[in-house]
Amino acid sequence: MENTTNLTNKEIVIQSIVTAMSVILDTVQLQALDNILREKLHGLQIEEECTQLSTWADDNDYILKVFQANKKLEGCKDNTLYQYKNTAKQLFEFTGKNYRDISKDDVKYFMAVRSQQVKRNTLVNIKHNLSAFFGFLHDEGFITKNPAKGLKGIKNIETENVHLTLDEEVAVRDVDKNIVEEAIVDFLFSTGVRVGELIAMDISNVDFATGTVTFRGEKSDKIRTVVLDARAKLHLITYLNTRKDNNPALFVTTKLYGGFPRRLRRDAVETITKGVGARAGINKSLTVHVFRRTFATRMTDKGCPLETLQELLGHASPTTTKIYIARSQKRVHRAVSQYMDVA
């Protein structure tokens, strides 16, 4: 059938194979496949009889799979891929149109309606996701005009930095906890890792001799090392010594499935931290992200350089790291006093 895109038949074949394999290959393997296909097909021409593959591109679900496969090639994580997909599907359902037929007016109207339904910062993410999606389609030749190009910028509004005060941190540390809770809470206070990074860690990631944990970051996919303080190291060892299983995961469920524990899941960790916060009398939802912001704030209060903190948190930009640091008049006063006489 007729090729209705601006892509060559060869590119359509490559995109189709990569998309089909993206559900079973990891990022490195997918990149290797893409490279091999392009190397082996270089200089060859795909004849018209193979262009039936291009008819799949008329389907919104398929084009989303193509987009996700390409973003996975770039190293995007599952949660990010889900956000891209969810935003595009919302637009498709809202307009009832094929991706080729969506206009700039459609996107503007969709954004206007969503602005009445979601917070400003969520709207910023929606715009970013649509810009990435349609930008890809335009750059790869699936569409001739980018309906998301030229949309007016939406600025993030400053939100409250939810972190623990010193008194709240003491309350969380001192409240009665079981061995698993103790290990997780102190690990989060000491490292400031993301919940996705925590649940992906294996025991082998921990070097108990040096008190360090080396792992692959959730968002950047880069190798990162964090440090365990004495309390975190002690409670982690105590917890691991109670384990009788052979599961490689650093943290596992207390419940057994077929006689064996499973790797702790994201929602289970959040349930544990929120439960500890409630028992400690904390008047805020004690998510893992609150530990992360608390870690950033404490390290800054102790004089940790921004570049070091950025590396510990795994941020690509120091601007992001600054957002995690709660404002402190005491810190400002201390800094200013180095350069002038302060009463």
Side-chain angles (χ1 to χ4, degrees):
M1 298 183 68
E2 182 185 1
N3 181 354
T4 57
T5 74
N6 289 329
L7 300 176
T8 63
N9 292 334
K10 181 166 62 180
E11 185 65 26
I12 292 171
V13 171
I14 292 175
Q15 294 278 8
S16 299
I17 294 173
V18 169
T19 298
M21 297 300 291
S22 66
V23 297
I24 58 176
L25 300 181
D26 61 28
T27 297
V28 174
Q29 293 169 330
L30 203 61
Q31 289 170 340
L33 174 62
D34 184 76
N35 290 338
I36 291 172
L37 287 172
R38 296 186 184 281
E39 177 186 342
K40 298 303 180 183
L41 294 177
H42 178 69
L44 300 180
Q45 183 176 353
I46 305 295
E47 297 297 334
E48 189 68 19
E49 62 183 20
C50 294
T51 60
Q52 63 265 29
L53 290 171
S54 69
T55 62
W56 299 353
D58 293 329
D59 179 70
N60 286 347
D61 286 336
Y62 177 70
I63 202 64
L64 274 176
K65 291 178 182 177
V66 172
F67 173 66
Q68 287 184 288
N70 277 270
K71 297 306 287 186
K72 187 173 181 178
L73 273 172
E74 296 175 8
C76 283
K77 298 299 183 179
D78 289 343
N79 186 55
T80 303
L81 294 176
Y82 171 78
Q83 295 300 328
Y84 280 130
K85 177 182 177 180
N86 191 48
T87 300
K89 288 190 71 172
Q90 287 175 352
L91 177 64
F92 293 156
E93 293 170 1
F94 179 82
T95 61
K97 291 184 176 182
N98 180 276
Y99 71 89
R100 300 174 187 277
D101 302 322
I102 293 175
S103 66
K104 181 171 289 189
D105 283 342
D106 291 328
V107 177
K108 286 183 175 180
Y109 182 38
F110 173 71
M111 294 290 292
V113 172
R114 293 294 283 154
S115 69
Q116 305 300 316
Q117 302 169 336
V118 300
K119 295 180 179 180
R120 175 66 66 85
N121 291 348
T122 301
L123 198 64
V124 172
N125 292 333
I126 291 174
K127 177 181 178 294
H128 168 77
N129 294 343
L130 291 179
S131 295
F133 175 64
F134 285 111
F136 165 78
L137 296 187
H138 181 263
D139 291 344
E140 295 297 322
F142 287 102
I143 56 177
T144 57
K145 292 185 178 180
N146 181 353
K149 185 177 181 180
L151 291 178
K152 292 183 178 179
I154 305 169
K155 293 183 178 180
N156 276 303
I157 57 175
E158 185 175 359
T159 57
E160 180 185 3
N161 185 319
V162 181
H163 67 289
L164 296 178
T165 65
L166 286 171
D167 288 342
E168 289 172 335
E169 180 178 338
V170 170
V172 170
R173 288 186 182 277
D174 289 350
V175 69
D176 286 338
K177 296 184 286 293
N178 61 38
I179 292 176
V180 179
E181 293 172 335
E182 197 83 73
I184 290 177
V185 165
D186 284 340
F187 191 94
L188 292 173
F189 270 132
S190 179
T191 64
V193 297
R194 300 178 177 93
V195 63
E197 295 168 340
L198 179 74
I199 62 175
M201 287 179 184
D202 291 333
I203 298 174
S204 60
N205 291 132
V206 183
D207 184 336
F208 289 100
T210 61
T212 57
V213 186
T214 302
F215 59 99
R216 189 174 295 278
E218 182 181 27
K219 292 190 175 181
S220 66
D221 212 32
K222 295 180 180 179
I223 300 299
R224 189 161 102 247
T225 298
V226 293
V227 181
L228 297 175
D229 60 26
R231 178 167 175 156
K233 181 178 176 180
L234 172 64
H235 289 143
L236 183 60
I237 291 174
T238 301
Y239 159 67
L240 292 175
N241 285 339
T242 66
R243 298 246 311 258
K244 306 300 180 183
D245 60 270
N246 294 320
N247 194 311
L250 185 59
F251 293 104
V252 297
T253 61
T254 54
K255 180 180 178 180
L256 301 181
Y257 299 85
F260 302 96
R262 293 178 179 175
R263 183 180 294 272
L264 211 57
R265 294 173 54 177
R266 181 184 301 261
D267 56 349
V269 174
E270 297 282 12
T271 297
I272 289 173
T273 58
K274 290 176 183 178
V276 170
R279 297 201 307 272
I282 305 302
N283 189 28
K284 60 188 67 167
S285 181
L286 188 54
T287 64
V288 173
H289 207 64
V290 172
F291 281 96
R292 191 163 161 79
R293 288 178 179 270
T294 301
F295 170 80
T297 301
R298 294 290 179 272
M299 291 293 286
T300 303
D301 285 342
K302 294 176 182 178
C304 179
L306 180 61
E307 295 79 6
T308 301
L309 184 57
Q310 176 188 344
E311 184 176 343
L312 289 171
L313 291 174
H315 288 151
S317 168
T319 302
T320 304
T321 305
K322 290 178 181 178
I323 297 173
Y324 280 65
I325 303 169
R327 292 177 178 175
S328 167
Q329 288 300 317
K330 182 182 295 185
R331 192 188 310 134
V332 172
H333 191 279
R334 184 177 65 241
V336 172
S337 65
Q338 298 180 18
Y339 306 101
M340 60 182 293
D341 294 331
V342 179

